[in-house]
Amino acid sequence: MNVLTPTETEWPALRERAASWPFQAVLVANRGEIAVRVLRTVQRLGLKGIVVYHAADRGTAAVRLADEAVEITGETPVGAYLDGAQIIRVAQAAGAGAIHPGYGFLSENKGFCEAVEAAGMRFIGPTPEQIDLMGDKVRARNFVEKAGFPVAPSAIEDDDPKTFVERSRQVGAPLLIKPSAGGGGKGMRIVRDLSLLEQEIERGRSEGQRYFGDGRLYCERYIENPRHIEVQVLGDGQGGVVHVFERECSVQRRFQKIVEETPSPALDDAKRREICETAAGIARSIGYRNAGTVEFIFGQSGEFYFLEMNTRLQVEHPVTEEITGIDLVLQQLRVAAGEKLGCTQDDVKAQGHSIELRIYAEDAARGYTPTTGPILVLHPPQGEGVRWDSGVLHGGEVTSAFDPMIAKLIIRGADRAEAIARADKALKDTVLLGCKTNTAFLRRLIAHPAFIAGDVHTGFLDANPQIAAEPVLATETLQALLAAASLSTRPMRDVADAVPDMHAAMGSWRN
Amino acid sequence: MKRIESRLNTASAEFQANAEHNRRLAAEFRDKQEKVRHARPQRDIDRLRSQNKLLVRERLDLLLDPGTPFLEFSSLAANEAYGGEVPAAACVTGIGIVSGREVVINAGDASVKGGAWYPLTVKKTVRALDIAIENRLPVVHLCDSAGGFLPLQADLFADKYMAGRIFRNQCMLSKMGVQQVSVVLGHCTAGGAYVPGLSDYNVIVRGTGAIFLAGPPLVKAATGEDVSVDELGGCDMHTSVSGTADYPAGSEEEAIAIARDIVAQFKRPQKAHTEWQEPEAPYYDAGELYGILPRDIKAQFDMKEVIARLVDGSRFHEYQPNYGKTLICGYAHLWGYKIGILANNGVLFNDSALKGAHFIELCNQGRTPIVFLQNITGFMVGKEYERRGITKDGAKMIMAVSNCEVPKFTVMCHGSFGAGNYGMSGRAFDSRFLFSWPQSQTSVMGAEQAANTLADVKIRQLAKQGKQLSQADIDAIRDPVLGEFKRKQSAYYTTSEIWDDGMLDPVDTRNALGISISAALNTPIGDPRYGVFRM
Amino acid sequence: MHHAFKLGDDVHNVELSRSATAYRLHLGEQRIDIDLRTGADGRAWLTLGERHVEVVIATRGDEVFVHLDGEAYALRYQHPLDRLAAAAGGNAEDRILAPMPGSIVSVAVKAGDAVSKGQTLLVMESMKMETTIAAPRDGVIAEVTYEMGQTFDRDALLIALEAQK
């Protein structure tokens, strides 16, 4: 049986296998689109899908889809999803045999992972030690460097806090300050002018302290106009490791990915093999279990350095699934259940091109600031090669309580050009009203000649602010909008409708 | 109802000549109107701008619902008075649509003599409020007046229909439950203070609006008290201390927006029920009216051609088509409203007068508003007609007209001479609205006839004194009389004196009547009741 | 012009009137015949003169959301009374509005405090970034709307200053 890409007819057999797994109910300790995504595979395997939710998420897609949904509480909505002890209690009470953490929240929390296992459940992820190692940027970097893989020049505060500023200065400008405990771009600061170094270090420390309760920092050489290329890996913790090709995530705003694709237009076959095998090597060197992502910074001349390893499912995992046919959640569940990967690198095959566009509730023209509002109308796009992963439903609400990502639009095409064309049409067909989103921005982005040429880097949007800027409206568009708005606004329509028929027909007649 | 078959030959030289003549008259009228509305000394405009004030036409644009008509009354009032220096009598009145309601607008024009009230200003304002009373129309007052024009106070202050009548009419409206809102955009001093004071609602603009019985200089003179305009009668004092004003506004725009919102609270009246059907544009082009009206006041024309260019589908049901043919009577629809029409096609004979009286009774029985289209030289005179009782037949028509319960509307299409003016519901007969076409003339008799009569009296006096007059002497007596007579019977004089509700370009008549009829139906129509018809 | 819509940073004055058959849009001196017919699924046909376009429209309070030709737009209706009162009441600097949704990290002032221009009034957090809200002018704090930890939407009133005399 093909365990990597089971066909429709092979799923019944797969379900039979799953029936003998050590867990028969999986609790998803997450929300939004990823909770939906995980639940779909869990349920497809015939397992019971349980989800926790904060009151702010009542009525969302995940809560409706789950076989059982249990409300959790917290001082803040985010706090509820970070409350590992509460979630474990809920999981036990609900009879869950395993917990899937999704991404974010508790997904890379070693303490939670340990507590889950201590409570007699499986943590669908890596071992606590692997989380611990890769969760600390500094240790991870040192480990990778010692294992003989490429890392960028850097200075680590912990090595000798007294000389940190001086050593940072030696890394040279431009450099990047990051909280040791951080991730996801939080608290990162670029320093181009070394005279501002101390000030920026203090600022970064303050932010690190607030976000992670840990003010330790490290800094590294900042590579100008780098690409962000990452490699999906799968490990079974029993010696089996494969890579599932790369993803290019260079288009970023505020250090956060916004468009991801695979294959990377920057790589030729040789470079692809080199970077993917490096990633697999790193995973293999720690005996990795779970799906994971090894991130690299990729310079203009083809050099690449290890950035970090994320020991969880990534937001952008669907593009990999689309070109390989591999259900990554299925693989996570299998290895967590103790199965071996049961395949070799040669079994992992890809075809076509896939692009993910993150649909955010945000205003690109206002510095990508988040927006909020109700989902008054939602017509997701449909069509060949279109996948819509979303946790919001018509009638829902986008609040500032959580990350402003509304949905992921994943497009598959025979080649990159077809994927881009399909993406544009899908964005055009996406109707989402009530909350400003970035769909129009994404259309401008993917229509940009540099993007079409695959010639992007992580600073691409900063260097091309006109993409984010609100374009000047065509007169005809403006007229249509004002007409639609006027006819939909009661105080205006009421005044017009109040005019008697005859007078209305006369118009602005004067004698 | 069948369509009137026009017999007009639009290719004829006569038509073309008439059209050219009447188009020129209409253009002259438009030109005069344009000047009256907009031509002001720059310093007067600058003064208003420096006070942050809008011009009255700008205020109207803000007040009226967009894309709706405004029927302005007496746009050329006072055009032949005060040396032509008080255009439109320093105020704008009319019927407009505010928040979907038909309202009378009474707006002072501070760009003319600071909005001072001249005798004709008072007359025009009183007339606008009479229109409000007769047709139960709410009133929006845009107050910006310097007060009565003192040199002419004797002609505007004390008599029954002078300034006091404005306030009296306001009180009548209030008693009738017809609502009024005042927007105080300038100083309302002395009598003017009662305009907002007697309104159900009022709005006052901070800074420029003020209400007081006497302004600071007069107070200083009377009591020695030193007080500023704001302290004495400004926006904040009146809206928070005295309660004389209701709504404070930071700007004229805001004040007018508040007034619009106030009008939006007014209850819409139940219209009197009359026959109505979907409106239809006239089949014949109203522009052809110019070719119908003759260049000579004495020349005859077929009024049916006029009717065909006013009414829906040019359709007309003629009553008694073969009897009393100098008076056309019949039914039509205008902007959907069923109307009865009385239109002159010659002098009124006994049969035409009887036909008219009878038709007026029919319209009253049928609750059908009546439109009078005047082109009348009078009732027929002479032994034969007196013997037939032309006086008593005319009296019947006048009795019917006077006691008419359905609303009447009169258009001075051409000549309006002698008792014919009365029989066809002239100004004295309470038509709800009366409009004049530019070439129309109104007088007790034709100018030549009158001038000759007057000259003859003079000549006979002089003859008694034994003086022999040459033709030149006679002309010297006759010509000035003729000139003065002609001036005073012209439509420009008529409209200057507010004997009508304004001059109309003939092509505007259909809309003016439509708005008028709609307004008139705000008042219930009573049961028919008459005095004694002399049989 | 009585009515206005805010679209992005621009304010557009508009009027709507009824014509014999449908409606007219007044934009400055321009008059455009318009009409809107809504289908069962929320999609609607908008007519502008000779032009017909498909739109999806949703409203919420004073906000109108329009999906037109593949893009979504948000317009905020400004009632003439609100707009004119605000214009007459004068100073936008009296009302400090949230530049984006977020939560309060710290508040440095309370009602009645005298502040000088540039002084930090509060620190808010949004998008994982802290933003400092400073006094736009010298003045006295009239009102502080939120406490530490509370969240707010864009354009929420954060702090009001006493009006200047």
Side-chain angles (χ1 to χ4, degrees):
Chain A
M1 166 181 198
N2 176 4
V3 287
L4 267 187
T5 54
T7 60
E8 204 58 43
T9 53
E10 287 172 320
W11 270 90
L14 203 53
R15 275 196 285 278
E16 263 176 51
R17 256 165 88 163
S20 63
W21 285 355
F23 47 83
Q24 291 302 303
V26 177
L27 180 135
V28 183
N30 215 303
R31 60 175 298 282
E33 68 88 15
I34 194 60
V36 173
R37 164 73 192 90
V38 172
L39 284 171
R40 287 204 191 285
T41 298
V42 166
Q43 290 176 333
R44 196 173 184 195
L45 281 166
L47 306 175
K48 180 181 177 185
I50 306 162
V51 74
V52 290
Y53 69 95
H54 179 268
D57 280 331
R58 185 176 290 127
T60 56
V63 174
R64 292 193 194 182
L65 179 67
D67 298 305
E68 188 178 341
V70 187
E71 184 171 339
I72 52 173
T73 57
E75 274 189 30
T76 62
V78 168
Y81 291 100
L82 287 171
D83 185 349
Q86 182 184 190
I87 290 170
I88 288 169
R89 271 200 310 279
V90 164
Q92 284 179 307
I99 293 183
H100 192 302
Y103 52 68
F105 295 126
L106 297 165
S107 61
E108 290 170 292
N109 183 312
K110 176 194 169 208
F112 178 67
C113 170
E114 286 170 340
V116 169
E117 309 236 314
M121 292 178 284
R122 294 286 172 102
F123 181 74
I124 299 168
T127 64
E129 296 73 27
Q130 289 165 353
I131 291 177
D132 194 35
L133 173 63
M134 289 302 170
D136 185 322
K137 302 270 174 285
V138 177
R139 285 184 56 212
R141 184 184 174 285
N142 288 345
F143 177 86
V144 168
E145 187 173 21
K146 281 191 193 111
F149 299 106
V151 297
S154 66
I156 297 162
E157 182 166 26
D158 273 359
D159 288 353
D160 182 6
K162 283 191 202 117
T163 62
F164 177 55
V165 173
E166 198 38 50
R167 285 184 290 120
S168 298
R169 212 178 290 282
Q170 280 161 16
V171 168
L175 59 77
L176 192 63
I177 300 169
K178 298 180 177 182
S180 297
K186 289 180 186 177
M188 293 208 292
R189 314 191 79 81
I190 299 169
V191 183
R192 295 177 193 282
D193 176 355
L194 288 177
S195 69
L196 297 175
L197 180 63
E198 281 169 79
Q199 189 182 327
E200 291 294 321
I201 283 174
E202 282 319 303
R203 198 85 193 136
R205 192 184 311 289
S206 148
E207 286 184 15
Q209 188 68 46
R210 213 159 48 69
Y211 288 118
F212 312 111
D214 183 345
R216 292 172 309 138
L217 301 173
Y218 80 100
C219 78
E220 65 183 15
R221 167 69 57 75
Y222 179 70
I223 293 166
E224 290 288 0
N225 294 343
R227 285 174 177 266
H228 175 114
I229 293 175
E230 63 187 27
V231 177
Q232 178 71 52
V233 295
L234 280 174
D236 58 16
Q238 303 176 57
V241 168
V242 294
H243 70 76
V244 197
F245 302 110
E246 83 286 3
R247 293 185 287 260
E248 158 115 35
C249 315
S250 294
V251 182
Q252 303 186 355
R253 50 104 183 91
R254 290 179 166 237
F255 299 115
Q256 284 187 315
K257 301 161 191 170
I258 194 156
V259 176
E260 302 98 339
E261 62 182 305
T262 184
S264 164
L267 303 182
D268 57 22
D269 285 348
K271 195 54 104 178
R272 175 168 296 111
R273 202 173 307 115
E274 184 187 346
I275 200 167
C276 288
E277 281 173 6
T278 301
I282 290 169
R284 202 170 284 119
S285 68
I286 59 170
Y288 190 66
R289 181 188 81 192
N290 191 29
T293 300
V294 183
E295 298 190 339
F296 296 97
I297 190 162
F298 189 89
Q300 297 289 312
S301 48
E303 77 279 20
F304 59 89
Y305 303 111
F306 170 78
L307 202 56
E308 64 181 26
M309 178 167 180
N310 295 321
T311 57
R312 53 167 162 85
L313 200 62
Q314 297 275 93
V315 175
E316 59 273 24
H317 74 274
V319 292
T320 299
E321 296 185 326
E322 289 303 307
I323 63 159
T324 61
I326 295 172
D327 178 336
L328 290 171
V329 175
L330 169 62
Q331 303 310 318
Q332 282 187 299
L333 291 164
R334 280 182 56 233
V335 299
E339 290 196 7
K340 292 193 169 189
L341 275 183
C343 66
T344 67
Q345 189 62 56
D346 288 345
D347 295 328
V348 181
K349 293 188 178 68
Q351 69 171 8
H353 197 97
S354 181
I355 300 175
E356 175 182 277
L357 302 131
R358 297 198 193 183
I359 300 194
Y360 276 106
E362 70 182 21
D363 189 341
R366 289 173 178 270
Y368 308 97
T369 51
T371 56
T372 55
I375 309 289
L376 300 174
V377 176
L378 176 59
H379 300 310
Q382 291 168 343
E384 174 94 32
V386 175
R387 170 172 162 186
W388 176 262
D389 278 15
S390 172
V392 301
L393 295 170
H394 170 92
E397 177 111 16
V398 178
T399 69
S400 58
F402 301 108
D403 186 82
M405 192 173 80
I406 294 174
K408 304 184 304 198
L409 174 61
I410 304 113
I411 303 294
R412 193 188 63 241
D415 55 25
R416 192 165 184 270
E418 184 178 69
I420 290 173
R422 283 181 177 173
D424 184 66
K425 180 171 188 310
L427 284 169
K428 191 175 178 211
D429 290 347
T430 302
V431 181
L432 196 158
L433 297 179
C435 175
K436 183 165 181 65
T437 73
N438 62 343
T439 52
F441 156 75
L442 290 171
R443 288 186 70 197
R444 296 196 293 274
L445 168 62
I446 63 173
H448 193 278
F451 181 85
I452 289 169
D455 186 15
V456 292
H457 54 84
T458 56
F460 173 67
L461 287 173
D462 289 336
N464 293 280
Q466 78 283 3
I467 300 173
E470 208 70 63
V472 176
L473 280 184
T475 306
E476 289 198 337
T477 306
L478 180 62
Q479 286 173 354
L481 292 175
L482 292 173
S486 297
L487 289 170
S488 307
T489 298
R490 280 297 298 263
M492 293 189 71
R493 201 149 175 164
D494 288 350
V495 167
D497 287 345
V499 173
D501 291 338
M502 179 188 73
H503 299 86
M506 284 184 193
S508 308
W509 174 85
R510 297 288 186 272
N511 62 309
Chain B
M1 229 184 268
K2 73 180 177 59
R3 180 177 305 137
I4 293 172
E5 207 55 60
S6 178
R7 296 206 177 86
L8 208 58
N9 178 3
T10 55
S12 71
E14 180 66 13
F15 180 94
Q16 298 294 340
N18 285 346
E20 192 191 332
H21 174 77
N22 287 305
R23 280 185 200 282
R24 197 182 65 245
L25 293 184
E28 281 167 14
F29 162 55
R30 292 294 190 196
D31 210 41
K32 235 178 178 128
Q33 235 182 0
E34 178 69 19
K35 286 202 180 76
V36 157
R37 284 172 178 164
H38 301 293
R40 296 286 184 278
Q42 189 58 40
R43 69 187 147 78
D44 287 335
I45 293 171
D46 292 345
R47 177 174 49 81
L48 293 179
R49 294 294 185 217
S50 71
Q51 293 170 350
N52 269 333
K53 284 184 177 181
L54 298 171
L55 300 177
V56 66
R57 301 281 160 184
E58 295 168 334
R59 290 169 177 169
L60 282 178
D61 282 345
L62 290 173
L63 178 64
L64 295 168
D65 285 355
T68 62
F70 179 59
L71 174 62
E72 185 173 344
F73 301 139
S74 300
S75 59
L76 297 186
N79 82 95
E80 300 231 338
Y82 322 122
E85 286 185 2
V86 188
C91 63
V92 180
T93 62
I95 293 177
I97 305 295
V98 175
S99 296
R101 277 85 175 160
E102 298 169 282
V103 299
V104 163
I105 291 164
N106 166 34
D109 184 350
S111 70
V112 179
K113 313 284 181 195
W117 287 0
Y118 280 69
L120 285 171
T121 317
V122 170
K123 189 174 184 184
K124 186 169 165 181
T125 306
V126 169
R127 172 60 189 152
L129 296 180
D130 278 342
I131 288 172
I133 290 171
E134 289 166 12
N135 303 289
R136 302 201 178 176
L137 294 168
V139 182
V140 179
H141 303 272
L142 301 181
C143 310
D144 193 356
S145 165
F149 182 64
L150 287 177
L152 294 178
Q153 68 85 24
D155 298 324
L156 65 84
F157 177 61
D159 199 8
K160 180 164 178 173
Y161 292 103
M162 291 184 184
R165 195 75 179 183
I166 295 173
F167 314 120
R168 176 267 183 195
N169 276 357
Q170 283 194 271
C171 297
M172 290 302 112
L173 282 168
S174 187
K175 186 171 80 172
M176 291 164 65
V178 179
Q179 287 169 298
Q180 296 170 74
V181 53
S182 283
V183 188
V184 180
L185 301 155
H187 290 188
C188 291
T189 315
Y194 291 113
V195 175
L198 292 169
S199 294
D200 302 287
Y201 301 86
N202 65 47
V203 189
I204 181 167
V205 179
R206 187 173 289 118
T208 45
I211 307 170
F212 27 55
L213 289 185
L218 209 59
V219 169
K220 173 80 174 164
T223 67
E225 194 180 14
D226 259 321
V227 64
S228 73
V229 166
D230 266 354
E231 283 174 295
L232 189 61
C235 166
D236 291 313
M237 195 287 283
H238 277 315
T239 53
S240 64
V241 179
S242 77
T244 305
D246 303 321
Y247 303 83
S251 64
E252 290 202 8
E253 289 89 340
E254 188 188 6
I256 291 169
I258 293 170
R260 286 178 50 80
D261 211 40
I262 291 167
V263 175
Q265 312 312 314
F266 291 178
K267 183 175 166 292
R268 261 172 280 208
Q270 190 78 40
K271 295 259 184 185
H273 177 76
T274 62
E275 286 294 308
W276 185 89
Q277 65 187 32
E278 257 325 297
E280 183 188 0
Y283 176 77
Y284 296 106
D285 180 6
E288 291 167 1
L289 287 170
Y290 296 125
I292 297 168
L293 301 172
R295 286 152 287 161
D296 180 356
I297 194 72
K298 296 193 292 282
Q300 197 51 245
F301 63 95
D302 187 358
M303 199 62 105
K304 253 192 255 180
E305 298 288 353
V306 171
I307 295 169
R309 283 152 187 89
L310 294 179
V311 303
D312 289 8
S314 304
R315 295 174 210 282
F316 186 60
H317 171 97
E318 189 171 1
Y319 172 69
Q320 290 189 335
N322 289 329
Y323 180 76
K325 287 167 84 168
T326 57
L327 182 69
I328 301 167
C329 295
Y331 299 112
H333 285 264
L334 188 145
W335 273 107
Y337 297 105
K338 170 85 172 288
I339 54 169
I341 294 175
L342 282 85
N344 304 115
N345 248 6
V347 68
L348 287 162
F349 293 101
N350 299 70
D351 54 358
S352 4
L354 290 170
K355 175 180 171 183
H358 188 96
F359 187 68
I360 290 167
E361 287 190 84
L362 291 178
C363 288
N364 274 274
Q365 289 289 358
R367 301 292 191 276
T368 308
I370 304 173
V371 172
F372 293 87
L373 301 176
Q374 286 207 13
N375 177 27
I376 181 66
T377 51
F379 288 92
M380 194 63 205
V381 295
K383 184 173 137 198
E384 158 88 20
Y385 299 98
E386 296 293 358
R387 283 176 64 86
R388 283 196 210 161
I390 186 70
T391 302
K392 75 172 185 179
D393 288 344
K396 288 189 192 80
M397 189 173 175
I398 292 170
M399 181 67 77
V401 164
S402 301
N403 290 325
C404 200
E405 288 288 337
V406 295
K408 305 183 297 263
F409 309 88
T410 304
V411 182
M412 298 301 191
C413 297
H414 205 53
S416 175
F417 300 115
N421 171 281
Y422 303 159
M424 291 295 289
S425 198
R427 188 63 157 176
F429 293 81
D430 292 331
S431 282
R432 296 288 180 86
F433 299 88
L434 188 150
F435 303 106
S436 307
W437 287 355
Q439 88 297 355
S440 67
Q441 295 179 9
T442 305
S443 59
V444 69
M445 60 181 78
E448 312 260 335
Q449 194 186 353
N452 289 338
T453 307
L454 287 168
D456 282 352
V457 172
K458 188 90 181 170
I459 291 160
R460 260 183 270 123
Q461 274 176 354
L462 291 169
K464 273 183 193 161
Q465 294 162 16
K467 293 192 177 159
Q468 282 292 324
L469 294 172
S470 68
Q471 187 57 41
D473 293 336
I474 292 171
D475 287 350
I477 292 167
R478 186 179 167 279
D479 289 353
V481 174
L482 182 64
E484 183 64 2
F485 206 97
K486 276 189 171 166
R487 186 176 80 83
K488 289 196 170 173
Q489 72 176 5
S490 87
Y492 282 99
Y493 186 80
T494 305
T495 206
S496 177
E497 290 297 307
I498 318 181
W499 297 348
D500 61 20
D501 295 311
M503 189 178 283
L504 284 181
D505 184 335
V507 297
D508 281 337
T509 307
R510 176 177 160 84
N511 279 357
L513 287 174
I515 293 172
S516 299
I517 295 166
S518 171
L521 296 180
N522 288 327
T523 303
I525 298 171
D527 292 333
R529 219 154 54 87
Y530 305 92
V532 176
F533 288 102
R534 180 169 293 276
M535 300 299 182
Chain C
M1 288 288 176
H2 305 294
H3 301 271
F5 285 98
K6 193 165 185 223
L7 176 59
D9 292 328
D10 298 326
V11 174
H12 302 276
N13 288 325
V14 290
E15 291 281 17
L16 184 68
S17 68
R18 207 152 67 85
S19 64
T21 52
Y23 295 90
R24 273 181 305 254
L25 183 70
H26 301 230
L27 287 174
E29 295 303 305
Q30 222 179 346
R31 303 281 175 276
I32 306 165
D33 284 316
I34 59 170
D35 199 11
L36 184 69
R37 294 184 193 278
T38 308
D41 62 349
R43 289 179 194 271
W45 280 98
L46 180 68
T47 306
L48 290 111
E50 302 295 305
R51 210 150 55 91
H52 301 276
V53 287
E54 195 186 332
V55 290
V56 184
I57 300 173
T59 59
R60 188 210 199 197
D62 284 337
E63 285 184 296
V64 184
F65 303 92
V66 183
H67 184 92
L68 168 70
D69 194 24
E71 292 186 14
Y73 302 87
L75 298 95
R76 181 180 282 272
Y77 172 66
Q78 295 182 334
H79 194 280
L81 289 175
D82 289 334
R83 187 167 56 86
L84 293 168
N91 212 330
E93 288 193 346
D94 289 347
R95 295 161 55 79
I96 299 163
L97 307 182
M100 59 192 100
S103 60
I104 302 289
V105 174
S106 64
V107 181
V109 292
K110 61 183 188 305
D113 286 0
V115 295
S116 50
K117 183 175 178 177
Q119 183 180 335
T120 296
L121 303 180
L122 59 77
V123 179
M124 54 166 283
E125 189 228 282
S126 181
M127 278 296 285
K128 307 170 185 177
M129 299 276 275
E130 288 180 8
T131 304
T132 298
I133 303 292
R137 62 168 172 83
D138 294 351
V140 175
I141 302 294
E143 187 189 357
V144 178
T145 320
Y146 295 96
E147 291 171 20
M148 194 175 123
Q150 289 186 311
T151 60
F152 47 83
D153 287 336
R154 187 176 144 198
D155 288 339
L157 175 67
L158 297 178
I159 285 181
L161 295 176
E162 300 273 5
Q164 274 176 318
K165 291 291 174 192

